[in-house]
Amino acid sequence: MNSYINLCKRFILDEKNKKIIDLETGEIFTDKDEIEELLNVLKKDKEINRNIEKTIRHVWGIKTKTDEYFLSWKKNSWFVKIYRTEMRKYLKTVNLSPHAGLLLVHIQHYIEHRTNKVVTPNNTSFTNKELQEMTGMGRDKLRASLNELEEKLFIIRKGNGSAREIFFNPYLMCSGNEVLKDVIDLFDKAGYKPLTPY
């Protein structure tokens, strides 16, 4: 059985013997580094069979970014975007208590797309009792932590009782790439001044 595969007019791959032969010069490529350089040259050749590139990469164990990173990682899931530069700078300007920090970590997983509201998986506002169960905090610690997060503009609460809604600061974190302008205005009016352009 023939192990030669034509890559283009100039090069053939001998997969069985793990080499690429240049038909013009007679040069034989076997070294992984040489093969990587050759692949970069072959990418520019319009005649090359692109599927063969995968075979070459497999034979010599050469990885691409796609091999190293799973690019469609959880593509059907929502994500929370943390504006890390802004968050880091802001955290340096505020002294957050451990309980408020704990609450912050817990609620960030429940930011709703576009509204930046903190909601349960059923799309309802969290009650204090649910937040207590989630964090393991007592009633007074939870209340103090909510007040602290609001004073430091990590969150803003609107409404009272069961109608209360918690909005997360979209300058620090949001769900997805879109946030309602009203939510941004809410934090602007409350006096949040972004520290970075990011």
Side-chain angles (χ1 to χ4, degrees):
M1 185 174 153
N2 191 350
S3 66
Y4 291 99
I5 300 169
N6 286 327
L7 301 178
C8 57
K9 288 180 183 174
R10 183 173 171 183
F11 296 98
I12 58 171
L13 166 65
D14 180 351
E15 191 175 352
K16 182 180 174 188
N17 297 309
K18 208 172 168 182
K19 60 185 174 183
I20 294 178
I21 303 163
D22 183 335
L23 297 174
E24 285 182 14
T25 65
E27 191 174 0
I28 298 173
F29 301 93
T30 57
D31 180 66
K32 184 177 178 177
D33 292 334
E34 291 177 329
I35 300 298
E36 274 190 276
E37 285 178 36
L38 186 59
L39 279 173
N40 288 329
V41 171
L42 290 174
K43 277 184 187 176
K44 297 172 188 164
D45 190 333
K46 292 177 184 164
E47 293 179 14
I48 188 166
N49 181 339
R50 297 290 167 215
N51 291 326
I52 301 299
E53 182 185 343
K54 289 180 185 176
T55 303
I56 293 169
R57 289 186 180 284
H58 175 73
V59 169
W60 275 273
I62 300 168
K63 295 187 179 205
T64 64
K65 281 190 179 180
T66 310
D67 297 328
E68 290 181 38
Y69 303 101
F70 189 63
L71 299 178
S72 59
W73 177 249
K74 297 187 177 189
K75 69 179 180 181
N76 294 324
S77 299
W78 292 107
F79 60 90
V80 173
K81 183 185 288 186
I82 301 170
Y83 296 101
R84 295 183 320 182
T85 308
E86 181 74 17
M87 182 68 89
R88 286 179 193 144
K89 281 197 169 205
Y90 191 59
L91 284 169
K92 287 179 182 177
T93 68
V94 295
N95 186 17
L96 204 57
S97 73
H99 286 97
L102 174 66
L103 179 58
L104 189 68
V105 168
H106 278 284
I107 65 174
Q108 72 187 8
H109 305 291
Y110 296 95
I111 298 173
E112 184 179 49
H113 182 59
R114 291 193 178 102
T115 66
N116 246 43
K117 276 194 281 185
V118 178
V119 294
T120 68
N122 297 328
N123 233 21
T124 59
S125 293
F126 278 99
T127 64
N128 278 8
K129 186 159 180 59
E130 288 170 323
L131 291 173
Q132 283 177 247
E133 288 169 6
M134 182 195 308
T135 61
M137 287 186 210
R139 188 179 70 207
D140 293 338
K141 285 280 185 211
L142 177 72
R143 221 178 265 152
S145 296
L146 284 167
N147 289 339
E148 182 180 348
L149 290 178
E150 189 161 27
E151 286 167 14
K152 294 177 178 171
L153 296 176
F154 283 96
I155 63 169
I156 290 179
R157 293 176 285 181
K158 298 295 265 179
N160 295 310
S162 62
R164 177 204 62 196
E165 296 175 317
I166 300 172
F167 293 88
F168 204 100
N169 187 335
Y171 288 107
L172 300 172
M173 202 175 294
C174 66
S175 181
N177 289 324
E178 300 171 358
V179 179
L180 294 174
K181 177 106 174 67
D182 291 348
V183 178
I184 294 168
D185 291 343
L186 189 66
F187 283 87
D188 287 344
K189 287 175 186 165
Y192 187 82
K193 302 272 189 269
L195 303 171
T196 68
Y198 324 110

